[in-house]
Amino acid sequence: MSTRYPFTAVVGMDDLRLALLLNAVSPAVGGVLVRGEKGTAKSTAVRALAELLPQVAVVAGCRFSCDPASPDPGCPDGPHGDGGADARPARMVELPVGASEDRLVGSLDIEKALADGVKAFEPGLLAAAHRGILYVDEVNLLSDHLIDHLLDAAAMGASHVEREGVSVRHAARFLLVGTMNPEEGELRPQLLDRFGLTVEVAASRVPEERVEVVRRRLAFEDDPAGFAGRWADEEAALRERIVAARELLPKVALGDAVLLQIAATCAAFEVDGMRADIVMARTATALAAWAGREEVTSEDVRRAALLALPHRRRRNPFDAPGMDEDKLDETLERFKGDEPEDDPDPGPDGPGDGGPGGGGGVPPQGGEGPAPETDGVPEQAPAQTPEPSPEPEHAPRGAAGERAAVKAGEPFRTKTLSVPGLGEGAAGRRSRARTQNGRTTGATRPRGTLTKLHLSATVRAAAPHQRARGRSGAGLVVRRDDLRQAVREGREGNLVLFVVDASGSMAARRRMGAVKGAVLSLLLDAYQRRDKVGLVTFRGRAAELALPPTSSVDAAAARLEELPTGGRTPLSAGLLKARDVLRVERLRDPSRRPLLVVVTDGRATGGGPDPVGLAARAARLHAADGTASVVVDCEAGPVRLGLAGDLARHLGGTAVTLDELRADAIAGLVREAQVNRSVRRAA
């Protein structure tokens, strides 16, 4: 068994360590979401936590970790008699991003269930994580259908496996810990709310701390067992402190004055629902127990708010999580009642802080130091500025005729743009596709493991052979060749590649703000429909890939906000760059179908001796590739040349104006795209 990096040897990251320890003291807090840049030891800290958890008592031989003191009456391995009890370490189960549904929830042998009426069930990861930790690395990249199962299990404390009328239920209560890099995309609000606490981590900018991180990591890699042994005393002391805090937890008093502060704080920050209030109450109680106190103080409420509320305040994917700490302090002071003195040094981070000076794998001497007062919560993102006022065309420019970036206009709800036909890409909410979930449209022979049984088709396949198979009882004699897989149709996510004209013809301040607002609206739509997005811009003499295809829609929004304008209009270069990007993405992910969204007024004034002809030829290359496309026509003014419409015809797609892009204005855009595609195929 490999040696894990000691929890007490982690340098810095006070908020992360505190959040994990509070969940170890009180699993009812609801888990931790760790957000941070790559290479910040998020996974190392989470894996180290499992070594600190007390052992759990389980019914001997039970695959579902039933508690001998109160076994689950519905356990598939039950009923449990006096079979004895075993003690084992708490498990940390890791859920891979590419895991299947059967691997997560377990699998049922359908053939035995139909033929013999036997529930032959193989437990999944949810059963293995019961009474332990379920760790999801890169949780923001997890498939939607797996997230749905996680939500159900986290809400009900149980997992249900249903296969055509045959069902199995087992307990699944676990500490949910997820890590993610926000650059790769955000989480659905429903899953965000299921995490009790959230913390932001980043690499230290203090040279001495960075030196200590490297020194300890190298010492661990050279001699893992020896390094862990040098931190054994600190680990044992922290483990004992967790046990003591657990024993003290039921005795902690949560007074009415403190509850009023919690409720007032949640109301002041306008968080949705009541889960935030409950999580804050549990977190504040765990903080008091961790500090060795039997009463909760205002400082406990403040720290609980900084851990429990930032991720619940997001209203759209472009909002950064965070809180206004001045507002928090004002709210707490306003509703402060009679309460005990705050402990000046609760010591929430435990022994072995791991600050600089520990020196090459040697634990720090002198016992526990005071807890740093670093909250680690980013400041509140500034409010969105209104659409900029119109400025003249001769606004200040840079050395190359470049105008400064303008703010995006107010986003709006857009009509759905979809790719025609039937795909087989990753599950999402945009275009029609064959998926694991959705409405049943047919049946086929299974390829590999049967996941979704088509019952009537299976019965029809088995029925003609019953006499030859010697059927004598009421049961149907089913063979593996009779089984039929259900074919289901749902929705897939696509790759939406934006090609944005940032040339001088688009540079009027008011006009570019409206254009950016439209693209921002489409990005918000892409987030809601689980798409990948990419951004190509063109101006001056060339085009550039401003953002490679990614699941991080908010990263695309940030690049869009910073986009400067000015110069000539190399439309052909933008289209050719987009074609190169799509060619590479087809090799990386051939099942994900692209949707090209070109945002331009259709003018072409750069890129060669015949810019209009070059743009038309580049557009026809996309049509030959079969790429579905939409042109957002940004032409303005009383005289309209219709150049964007011409471009859409060369692309074999559809043109739509900025006004028509709004959900209440487009009529039949997708239908037109499908008709155009059909006409093109017929030709």
Side-chain angles (χ1 to χ4, degrees), residues 224-264:
F227 182 85
R230 290 193 289 274
W231 290 87
D233 291 343
E234 282 71 17
E235 292 282 289
L238 191 57
R239 193 175 295 111
E240 291 175 2
R241 188 174 176 185
I242 291 173
V243 173
R246 283 189 172 187
E247 293 174 352
L248 181 61
L249 187 66
K251 304 175 184 177
V252 176
L254 191 66
D256 290 342
V258 171
L259 282 173
L260 180 60
Q261 283 187 315
I262 291 172

mmCIF file of all heavy atoms in Angstrom, residues 224-264:
data_model
loop_
_atom_site.group_PDB
_atom_site.id
_atom_site.type_symbol
_atom_site.label_atom_id
_atom_site.label_comp_id
_atom_site.label_asym_id
_atom_site.label_seq_id
_atom_site.Cartn_x
_atom_site.Cartn_y
_atom_site.Cartn_z
ATOM 1 N N PRO A 224 9.224 8.116 1.249
ATOM 2 C CA PRO A 224 7.854 8.349 1.724
ATOM 3 C C PRO A 224 7.613 7.853 3.145
ATOM 4 O O PRO A 224 7.029 8.567 3.970
ATOM 5 C CB PRO A 224 7.000 7.586 0.702
ATOM 6 C CG PRO A 224 7.844 7.516 -0.523
ATOM 7 C CD PRO A 224 9.246 7.401 -0.038
ATOM 8 N N ALA A 225 8.057 6.634 3.445
ATOM 9 C CA ALA A 225 7.796 6.077 4.773
ATOM 10 C C ALA A 225 8.541 6.860 5.853
ATOM 11 O O ALA A 225 7.988 7.156 6.921
ATOM 12 C CB ALA A 225 8.203 4.605 4.805
ATOM 13 N N GLY A 226 9.796 7.201 5.588
ATOM 14 C CA GLY A 226 10.559 7.958 6.566
ATOM 15 C C GLY A 226 9.987 9.346 6.799
ATOM 16 O O GLY A 226 9.927 9.831 7.934
ATOM 17 N N PHE A 227 9.558 9.992 5.719
ATOM 18 C CA PHE A 227 8.969 11.319 5.842
ATOM 19 C C PHE A 227 7.683 11.261 6.662
ATOM 20 O O PHE A 227 7.454 12.083 7.564
ATOM 21 C CB PHE A 227 8.689 11.892 4.452
ATOM 22 C CG PHE A 227 8.127 13.279 4.453
ATOM 23 C CD1 PHE A 227 8.958 14.380 4.509
ATOM 24 C CD2 PHE A 227 6.759 13.495 4.387
ATOM 25 C CE1 PHE A 227 8.445 15.671 4.522
ATOM 26 C CE2 PHE A 227 6.231 14.768 4.391
ATOM 27 C CZ PHE A 227 7.082 15.859 4.454
ATOM 28 N N ALA A 228 6.826 10.272 6.357
ATOM 29 C CA ALA A 228 5.583 10.134 7.119
ATOM 30 C C ALA A 228 5.867 9.837 8.589
ATOM 31 O O ALA A 228 5.154 10.313 9.484
ATOM 32 C CB ALA A 228 4.722 9.028 6.509
ATOM 33 N N GLY A 229 6.906 9.060 8.849
ATOM 34 C CA GLY A 229 7.256 8.757 10.230
ATOM 35 C C GLY A 229 7.657 9.985 11.020
ATOM 36 O O GLY A 229 7.360 10.091 12.221
ATOM 37 N N ARG A 230 8.324 10.938 10.350
ATOM 38 C CA ARG A 230 8.734 12.155 11.051
ATOM 39 C C ARG A 230 7.545 13.034 11.425
ATOM 40 O O ARG A 230 7.654 13.888 12.300
ATOM 41 C CB ARG A 230 9.734 12.937 10.186
ATOM 42 C CG ARG A 230 11.093 12.252 10.062
ATOM 43 C CD ARG A 230 12.127 13.180 9.475
ATOM 44 N NE ARG A 230 11.913 13.457 8.075
ATOM 45 C CZ ARG A 230 12.369 12.695 7.072
ATOM 46 N NH1 ARG A 230 13.043 11.579 7.341
ATOM 47 N NH2 ARG A 230 12.147 13.035 5.823
ATOM 48 N N TRP A 231 6.419 12.828 10.758
ATOM 49 C CA TRP A 231 5.212 13.611 11.056
ATOM 50 C C TRP A 231 4.178 12.776 11.819
ATOM 51 O O TRP A 231 3.036 13.212 12.005
ATOM 52 C CB TRP A 231 4.583 14.127 9.761
ATOM 53 C CG TRP A 231 5.402 15.189 9.106
ATOM 54 C CD1 TRP A 231 6.417 15.018 8.219
ATOM 55 C CD2 TRP A 231 5.297 16.598 9.322
ATOM 56 N NE1 TRP A 231 6.954 16.224 7.853
ATOM 57 C CE2 TRP A 231 6.276 17.222 8.513
ATOM 58 C CE3 TRP A 231 4.478 17.387 10.111
ATOM 59 C CZ2 TRP A 231 6.457 18.588 8.475
ATOM 60 C CZ3 TRP A 231 4.644 18.759 10.075
ATOM 61 C CH2 TRP A 231 5.627 19.354 9.271
ATOM 62 N N ALA A 232 4.569 11.588 12.272
ATOM 63 C CA ALA A 232 3.601 10.684 12.903
ATOM 64 C C ALA A 232 3.021 11.271 14.185
ATOM 65 O O ALA A 232 1.822 11.112 14.468
ATOM 66 C CB ALA A 232 4.264 9.336 13.192
ATOM 67 N N ASP A 233 3.842 11.933 15.001
ATOM 68 C CA ASP A 233 3.329 12.488 16.256
ATOM 69 C C ASP A 233 2.292 13.577 15.989
ATOM 70 O O ASP A 233 1.250 13.645 16.667
ATOM 71 C CB ASP A 233 4.489 13.053 17.078
ATOM 72 C CG ASP A 233 5.405 11.960 17.610
ATOM 73 O OD1 ASP A 233 4.978 10.789 17.625
ATOM 74 O OD2 ASP A 233 6.554 12.284 17.993
ATOM 75 N N GLU A 234 2.568 14.447 15.019
ATOM 76 C CA GLU A 234 1.608 15.504 14.682
ATOM 77 C C GLU A 234 0.311 14.908 14.147
ATOM 78 O O GLU A 234 -0.793 15.381 14.469
ATOM 79 C CB GLU A 234 2.218 16.465 13.654
ATOM 80 C CG GLU A 234 3.193 17.469 14.224
ATOM 81 C CD GLU A 234 4.515 16.823 14.656
ATOM 82 O OE1 GLU A 234 4.777 15.690 14.219
ATOM 83 O OE2 GLU A 234 5.267 17.447 15.411
ATOM 84 N N GLU A 235 0.436 13.870 13.315
ATOM 85 C CA GLU A 235 -0.761 13.211 12.783
ATOM 86 C C GLU A 235 -1.583 12.588 13.914
ATOM 87 O O GLU A 235 -2.812 12.705 13.942
ATOM 88 C CB GLU A 235 -0.353 12.125 11.780
ATOM 89 C CG GLU A 235 0.270 12.639 10.497
ATOM 90 C CD GLU A 235 -0.759 13.181 9.531
ATOM 91 O OE1 GLU A 235 -1.519 12.393 8.946
ATOM 92 O OE2 GLU A 235 -0.806 14.416 9.364
ATOM 93 N N ALA A 236 -0.913 11.926 14.855
ATOM 94 C CA ALA A 236 -1.623 11.293 15.962
ATOM 95 C C ALA A 236 -2.324 12.340 16.832
ATOM 96 O O ALA A 236 -3.469 12.144 17.270
ATOM 97 C CB ALA A 236 -0.649 10.468 16.801
ATOM 98 N N ALA A 237 -1.640 13.475 17.076
ATOM 99 C CA ALA A 237 -2.254 14.526 17.897
ATOM 100 C C ALA A 237 -3.478 15.117 17.212
ATOM 101 O O ALA A 237 -4.505 15.391 17.856
ATOM 102 C CB ALA A 237 -1.221 15.619 18.181
ATOM 103 N N LEU A 238 -3.400 15.297 15.905
ATOM 104 C CA LEU A 238 -4.543 15.850 15.177
ATOM 105 C C LEU A 238 -5.698 14.855 15.143
ATOM 106 O O LEU A 238 -6.871 15.233 15.252
ATOM 107 C CB LEU A 238 -4.097 16.221 13.751
ATOM 108 C CG LEU A 238 -5.083 17.053 12.931
ATOM 109 C CD1 LEU A 238 -5.429 18.346 13.652
ATOM 110 C CD2 LEU A 238 -4.502 17.357 11.553
ATOM 111 N N ARG A 239 -5.365 13.576 15.029
ATOM 112 C CA ARG A 239 -6.407 12.547 15.034
ATOM 113 C C ARG A 239 -7.129 12.522 16.382
ATOM 114 O O ARG A 239 -8.363 12.397 16.446
ATOM 115 C CB ARG A 239 -5.764 11.191 14.721
ATOM 116 C CG ARG A 239 -6.748 10.090 14.400
ATOM 117 C CD ARG A 239 -6.038 8.809 13.989
ATOM 118 N NE ARG A 239 -5.304 8.976 12.752
ATOM 119 C CZ ARG A 239 -3.973 8.981 12.648
ATOM 120 N NH1 ARG A 239 -3.233 8.839 13.734
ATOM 121 N NH2 ARG A 239 -3.396 9.119 11.472
ATOM 122 N N GLU A 240 -6.376 12.662 17.456
ATOM 123 C CA GLU A 240 -6.987 12.693 18.788
ATOM 124 C C GLU A 240 -7.859 13.936 18.961
ATOM 125 O O GLU A 240 -8.913 13.886 19.594
ATOM 126 C CB GLU A 240 -5.886 12.667 19.851
ATOM 127 C CG GLU A 240 -5.145 11.341 19.933
ATOM 128 C CD GLU A 240 -3.981 11.397 20.904
ATOM 129 O OE1 GLU A 240 -3.795 12.475 21.531
ATOM 130 O OE2 GLU A 240 -3.267 10.388 21.031
ATOM 131 N N ARG A 241 -7.420 15.045 18.379
ATOM 132 C CA ARG A 241 -8.215 16.267 18.496
ATOM 133 C C ARG A 241 -9.541 16.133 17.745
ATOM 134 O O ARG A 241 -10.576 16.649 18.179
ATOM 135 C CB ARG A 241 -7.419 17.451 17.965
ATOM 136 C CG ARG A 241 -8.101 18.783 18.218
ATOM 137 C CD ARG A 241 -7.234 19.939 17.811
ATOM 138 N NE ARG A 241 -7.937 21.202 17.983
ATOM 139 C CZ ARG A 241 -7.459 22.377 17.625
ATOM 140 N NH1 ARG A 241 -6.257 22.460 17.067
ATOM 141 N NH2 ARG A 241 -8.160 23.480 17.803
ATOM 142 N N ILE A 242 -9.525 15.441 16.604
ATOM 143 C CA ILE A 242 -10.767 15.201 15.858
ATOM 144 C C ILE A 242 -11.731 14.374 16.705
ATOM 145 O O ILE A 242 -12.927 14.672 16.796
ATOM 146 C CB ILE A 242 -10.456 14.507 14.517
ATOM 147 C CG1 ILE A 242 -9.715 15.455 13.578
ATOM 148 C CG2 ILE A 242 -11.752 14.021 13.862
ATOM 149 C CD1 ILE A 242 -9.233 14.789 12.300
ATOM 150 N N VAL A 243 -11.213 13.321 17.350
ATOM 151 C CA VAL A 243 -12.061 12.468 18.193
ATOM 152 C C VAL A 243 -12.641 13.270 19.346
ATOM 153 O O VAL A 243 -13.839 13.168 19.675
ATOM 154 C CB VAL A 243 -11.252 11.263 18.700
ATOM 155 C CG1 VAL A 243 -12.073 10.467 19.723
ATOM 156 C CG2 VAL A 243 -10.834 10.367 17.542
ATOM 157 N N ALA A 244 -11.802 14.101 19.975
ATOM 158 C CA ALA A 244 -12.287 14.917 21.097
ATOM 159 C C ALA A 244 -13.353 15.902 20.649
ATOM 160 O O ALA A 244 -14.357 16.119 21.353
ATOM 161 C CB ALA A 244 -11.106 15.654 21.736
ATOM 162 N N ALA A 245 -13.162 16.509 19.489
ATOM 163 C CA ALA A 245 -14.157 17.458 18.980
ATOM 164 C C ALA A 245 -15.462 16.749 18.641
ATOM 165 O O ALA A 245 -16.551 17.299 18.866
ATOM 166 C CB ALA A 245 -13.597 18.176 17.754
ATOM 167 N N ARG A 246 -15.381 15.533 18.113
ATOM 168 C CA ARG A 246 -16.602 14.770 17.832
ATOM 169 C C ARG A 246 -17.370 14.478 19.115
ATOM 170 O O ARG A 246 -18.610 14.525 19.143
ATOM 171 C CB ARG A 246 -16.250 13.461 17.118
ATOM 172 C CG ARG A 246 -15.918 13.602 15.652
ATOM 173 C CD ARG A 246 -15.810 12.236 14.996
ATOM 174 N NE ARG A 246 -15.666 12.333 13.549
ATOM 175 C CZ ARG A 246 -15.693 11.285 12.724
ATOM 176 N NH1 ARG A 246 -15.858 10.064 13.217
ATOM 177 N NH2 ARG A 246 -15.566 11.456 11.432
ATOM 178 N N GLU A 247 -16.649 14.157 20.171
ATOM 179 C CA GLU A 247 -17.319 13.861 21.442
ATOM 180 C C GLU A 247 -17.944 15.111 22.038
ATOM 181 O O GLU A 247 -18.992 15.045 22.702
ATOM 182 C CB GLU A 247 -16.309 13.244 22.405
ATOM 183 C CG GLU A 247 -15.812 11.863 21.973
ATOM 184 C CD GLU A 247 -14.708 11.338 22.873
ATOM 185 O OE1 GLU A 247 -14.225 12.120 23.737
ATOM 186 O OE2 GLU A 247 -14.322 10.161 22.707
ATOM 187 N N LEU A 248 -17.303 16.270 21.818
ATOM 188 C CA LEU A 248 -17.824 17.516 22.372
ATOM 189 C C LEU A 248 -18.992 18.071 21.553
ATOM 190 O O LEU A 248 -19.831 18.807 22.090
ATOM 191 C CB LEU A 248 -16.689 18.556 22.426
ATOM 192 C CG LEU A 248 -17.028 19.937 22.997
ATOM 193 C CD1 LEU A 248 -17.501 19.831 24.450
ATOM 194 C CD2 LEU A 248 -15.837 20.876 22.877
ATOM 195 N N LEU A 249 -19.064 17.722 20.284
ATOM 196 C CA LEU A 249 -20.034 18.320 19.367
ATOM 197 C C LEU A 249 -21.477 18.275 19.875
ATOM 198 O O LEU A 249 -22.188 19.295 19.806
ATOM 199 C CB LEU A 249 -19.921 17.640 17.994
ATOM 200 C CG LEU A 249 -20.746 18.247 16.864
ATOM 201 C CD1 LEU A 249 -20.233 19.648 16.527
ATOM 202 C CD2 LEU A 249 -20.684 17.344 15.615
ATOM 203 N N PRO A 250 -21.989 17.150 20.408
ATOM 204 C CA PRO A 250 -23.394 17.141 20.870
ATOM 205 C C PRO A 250 -23.657 18.087 22.035
ATOM 206 O O PRO A 250 -24.811 18.439 22.285
ATOM 207 C CB PRO A 250 -23.610 15.672 21.286
ATOM 208 C CG PRO A 250 -22.535 14.901 20.605
ATOM 209 C CD PRO A 250 -21.369 15.814 20.524
ATOM 210 N N LYS A 251 -22.619 18.513 22.723
ATOM 211 C CA LYS A 251 -22.797 19.378 23.880
ATOM 212 C C LYS A 251 -22.771 20.861 23.522
ATOM 213 O O LYS A 251 -23.053 21.701 24.381
ATOM 214 C CB LYS A 251 -21.701 19.100 24.913
ATOM 215 C CG LYS A 251 -21.623 17.649 25.362
ATOM 216 C CD LYS A 251 -20.440 17.428 26.291
ATOM 217 C CE LYS A 251 -20.287 15.956 26.662
ATOM 218 N NZ LYS A 251 -19.080 15.745 27.511
ATOM 219 N N VAL A 252 -22.421 21.198 22.285
ATOM 220 C CA VAL A 252 -22.288 22.599 21.894
ATOM 221 C C VAL A 252 -23.676 23.226 21.783
ATOM 222 O O VAL A 252 -24.577 22.684 21.133
ATOM 223 C CB VAL A 252 -21.530 22.734 20.562
ATOM 224 C CG1 VAL A 252 -21.494 24.195 20.109
ATOM 225 C CG2 VAL A 252 -20.114 22.200 20.710
ATOM 226 N N ALA A 253 -23.835 24.380 22.426
ATOM 227 C CA ALA A 253 -25.123 25.086 22.425
ATOM 228 C C ALA A 253 -25.145 26.120 21.304
ATOM 229 O O ALA A 253 -24.210 26.899 21.147
ATOM 230 C CB ALA A 253 -25.344 25.771 23.766
ATOM 231 N N LEU A 254 -26.230 26.097 20.536
ATOM 232 C CA LEU A 254 -26.434 27.063 19.457
ATOM 233 C C LEU A 254 -27.592 27.968 19.887
ATOM 234 O O LEU A 254 -28.755 27.639 19.693
ATOM 235 C CB LEU A 254 -26.754 26.325 18.148
ATOM 236 C CG LEU A 254 -26.757 27.131 16.864
ATOM 237 C CD1 LEU A 254 -25.353 27.633 16.533
ATOM 238 C CD2 LEU A 254 -27.280 26.289 15.711
ATOM 239 N N GLY A 255 -27.267 29.117 20.487
ATOM 240 C CA GLY A 255 -28.285 29.978 21.063
ATOM 241 C C GLY A 255 -29.138 30.692 20.034
ATOM 242 O O GLY A 255 -28.804 30.761 18.840
ATOM 243 N N ASP A 256 -30.249 31.252 20.494
ATOM 244 C CA ASP A 256 -31.169 31.960 19.608
ATOM 245 C C ASP A 256 -30.512 33.198 18.986
ATOM 246 O O ASP A 256 -30.776 33.541 17.832
ATOM 247 C CB ASP A 256 -32.425 32.375 20.374
ATOM 248 C CG ASP A 256 -33.297 31.185 20.739
ATOM 249 O OD1 ASP A 256 -33.115 30.121 20.118
ATOM 250 O OD2 ASP A 256 -34.152 31.324 21.636
ATOM 251 N N ALA A 257 -29.655 33.864 19.755
ATOM 252 C CA ALA A 257 -28.985 35.052 19.224
ATOM 253 C C ALA A 257 -28.083 34.691 18.048
ATOM 254 O O ALA A 257 -28.024 35.403 17.037
ATOM 255 C CB ALA A 257 -28.175 35.734 20.326
ATOM 256 N N VAL A 258 -27.396 33.574 18.171
ATOM 257 C CA VAL A 258 -26.523 33.126 17.080
ATOM 258 C C VAL A 258 -27.346 32.687 15.875
ATOM 259 O O VAL A 258 -27.011 32.989 14.730
ATOM 260 C CB VAL A 258 -25.608 31.981 17.580
ATOM 261 C CG1 VAL A 258 -24.861 31.353 16.413
ATOM 262 C CG2 VAL A 258 -24.622 32.497 18.620
ATOM 263 N N LEU A 259 -28.441 31.990 16.117
ATOM 264 C CA LEU A 259 -29.315 31.590 15.012
ATOM 265 C C LEU A 259 -29.863 32.804 14.278
ATOM 266 O O LEU A 259 -30.002 32.797 13.045
ATOM 267 C CB LEU A 259 -30.466 30.735 15.535
ATOM 268 C CG LEU A 259 -30.133 29.271 15.851
ATOM 269 C CD1 LEU A 259 -31.317 28.591 16.526
ATOM 270 C CD2 LEU A 259 -29.755 28.530 14.574
ATOM 271 N N LEU A 260 -30.174 33.860 15.021
ATOM 272 C CA LEU A 260 -30.652 35.085 14.385
ATOM 273 C C LEU A 260 -29.558 35.693 13.506
ATOM 274 O O LEU A 260 -29.842 36.172 12.404
ATOM 275 C CB LEU A 260 -31.105 36.082 15.452
ATOM 276 C CG LEU A 260 -31.641 37.426 14.928
ATOM 277 C CD1 LEU A 260 -32.864 37.201 14.038
ATOM 278 C CD2 LEU A 260 -31.987 38.361 16.086
ATOM 279 N N GLN A 261 -28.315 35.673 13.961
ATOM 280 C CA GLN A 261 -27.213 36.171 13.140
ATOM 281 C C GLN A 261 -27.069 35.357 11.855
ATOM 282 O O GLN A 261 -26.843 35.912 10.779
ATOM 283 C CB GLN A 261 -25.908 36.122 13.930
ATOM 284 C CG GLN A 261 -25.747 37.225 14.959
ATOM 285 C CD GLN A 261 -24.362 37.215 15.579
ATOM 286 O OE1 GLN A 261 -23.838 36.167 15.946
ATOM 287 N NE2 GLN A 261 -23.763 38.394 15.691
ATOM 288 N N ILE A 262 -27.198 34.050 11.978
ATOM 289 C CA ILE A 262 -27.080 33.190 10.799
ATOM 290 C C ILE A 262 -28.190 33.503 9.801
ATOM 291 O O ILE A 262 -27.946 33.681 8.599
ATOM 292 C CB ILE A 262 -27.119 31.707 11.231
ATOM 293 C CG1 ILE A 262 -25.850 31.350 11.997
ATOM 294 C CG2 ILE A 262 -27.296 30.797 10.016
ATOM 295 C CD1 ILE A 262 -25.874 29.958 12.627
ATOM 296 N N ALA A 263 -29.422 33.576 10.283
ATOM 297 C CA ALA A 263 -30.551 33.858 9.397
ATOM 298 C C ALA A 263 -30.418 35.245 8.768
ATOM 299 O O ALA A 263 -30.684 35.424 7.567
ATOM 300 C CB ALA A 263 -31.862 33.747 10.164
ATOM 301 N N ALA A 264 -30.004 36.235 9.561
ATOM 302 C CA ALA A 264 -29.856 37.593 9.039
ATOM 303 C C ALA A 264 -28.764 37.660 7.985
ATOM 304 O O ALA A 264 -28.894 38.370 6.976
ATOM 305 C CB ALA A 264 -29.544 38.553 10.185
#
